[in-house]
Amino acid sequence: MIISIILKKLKTAFTDLLPIILVIAFFQIVVLRQALPQMGEVIFGALLVVAGLTLFVQGLEMGLFPIGESMAHALARKGSLFWLLCFAFALGFSTTVAEPALIAVAWEAAEIAGQGGLIDPSQESLKQYAFGLRMSVAFSVGLAILIGVMRIIRGWPIHYLIISGYVVVMLMTIIAPKEIIGIAYDAGGVTTSTITVPLVAALGVGLASSIRGRSPLVDGFGLIAFASLLPMIFVMGYGLIIFG
């Protein structure tokens, strides 16, 4: 029984990765007309990816989704708006700080800024710049999740908030240093990655399920949109401080 479940999970993960494999194989064989280098290592690496994706998805289903929903239910039953908002902010902040994609992008941005003479290229200066960038993004995501939770509780229309936010993004793009704009737009994407998305989505669905008159389908989703929006604003603000 267990082996059958494992094989089914592995098959699902392989099916999800199959389009990527086919695209790479097509361009390598048909367009470039070259055999894949180190074929054995490539195949072994692909198998590791399938196994890793299987374990990751299973971990989400067993751990992150249930804990996010259960904590949202518990805090809603407790009836304390203060602790609910504190949890929302802390969840957004902590998961973003731990995002591997954000760590990589922040360090890459620091190295490029150092090479371009925008900041002191010393290791200490690069670390401070990368750390400041990560903290700006993490704080913005925490605030974004807090606003999203307030939206669920109060029943605010999500489209008004999102449209207003992107208007601010466009206005800040005009005045922000050009060196930070691309990083700011990328920051909005890297924050919604492997750690943040499952917990935030579970929080929204769990909270909407716990509040009378709220629909998990209509009100439970949308938190991730805020988590993508606010980092762009805050990172451009960070650029105005650093490069202004």
Side-chain angles (χ1 to χ4, degrees):
M1 185 68 178
I2 296 176
I3 295 176
S4 175
I5 294 173
I6 292 174
L7 290 176
K8 185 177 180 180
K9 296 285 185 180
L10 288 171
K11 180 182 177 182
T12 301
F14 177 77
T15 303
D16 292 338
L17 290 171
L18 188 59
I20 301 174
I21 296 172
L22 293 176
V23 168
I24 294 174
F26 174 80
F27 278 90
Q28 191 73 26
I29 298 171
V30 178
V31 179
L32 299 178
R33 297 183 180 179
Q34 296 177 355
L36 284 171
Q38 301 172 321
M39 179 66 74
E41 292 185 9
V42 170
I43 294 175
F44 181 67
L47 292 175
L48 290 178
V49 170
V50 171
L53 181 61
T54 302
L55 293 172
F56 175 71
V57 172
Q58 187 65 26
L60 293 182
E61 294 175 355
M62 293 177 62
L64 292 186
F65 281 127
I67 195 172
E69 289 190 23
S70 64
M71 291 193 73
H73 282 296
L75 287 167
R77 286 197 302 269
K78 189 177 180 66
S80 173
L81 180 61
F82 173 77
W83 286 115
L84 180 59
L85 295 179
C86 285
F87 173 68
F89 178 84
L91 180 68
F93 184 90
S94 59
T95 54
T96 305
V97 167
E99 277 292 353
L102 178 60
I103 294 171
V105 168
W107 184 251
E108 186 70 19
E111 289 186 331
I112 297 300
Q115 293 171 9
L118 297 173
I119 60 175
D120 184 3
S122 66
Q123 283 293 313
E124 187 62 30
S125 180
L126 296 183
K127 288 181 181 178
Q128 290 179 357
Y129 178 84
F131 180 78
L133 190 60
R134 284 177 61 199
M135 290 302 104
S136 298
V137 174
F139 182 84
S140 67
V141 173
L143 183 60
I145 304 305
L146 187 151
I147 294 172
V149 166
M150 284 296 297
R151 179 193 72 83
I152 294 174
I153 294 172
R154 302 299 183 190
W156 296 336
I158 187 172
H159 52 282
Y160 292 143
L161 296 172
I162 295 297
I163 291 172
S164 300
Y166 276 104
V167 168
V168 175
V169 169
M170 294 298 104
L171 293 175
M172 289 201 69
T173 302
I174 297 172
I175 62 173
K178 61 181 181 180
E179 294 86 359
I180 202 69
I181 293 174
I183 298 171
Y185 277 70
D186 282 346
V190 299
T191 54
T192 52
S193 190
T194 53
I195 299 176
T196 307
V197 169
L199 280 170
V200 170
L203 171 65
V205 172
L207 184 61
S209 303
S210 304
I211 300 176
R212 183 177 300 176
R214 296 289 176 266
S215 166
L217 185 60
V218 175
D219 303 302
F221 296 93
L223 290 179
I224 297 168
F226 290 105
S228 299
L229 173 60
L230 257 66
M232 292 187 278
I233 298 173
F234 274 69
V235 172
M236 282 190 277
Y238 178 71
L240 284 170
I241 295 171
I242 298 297
F243 301 139

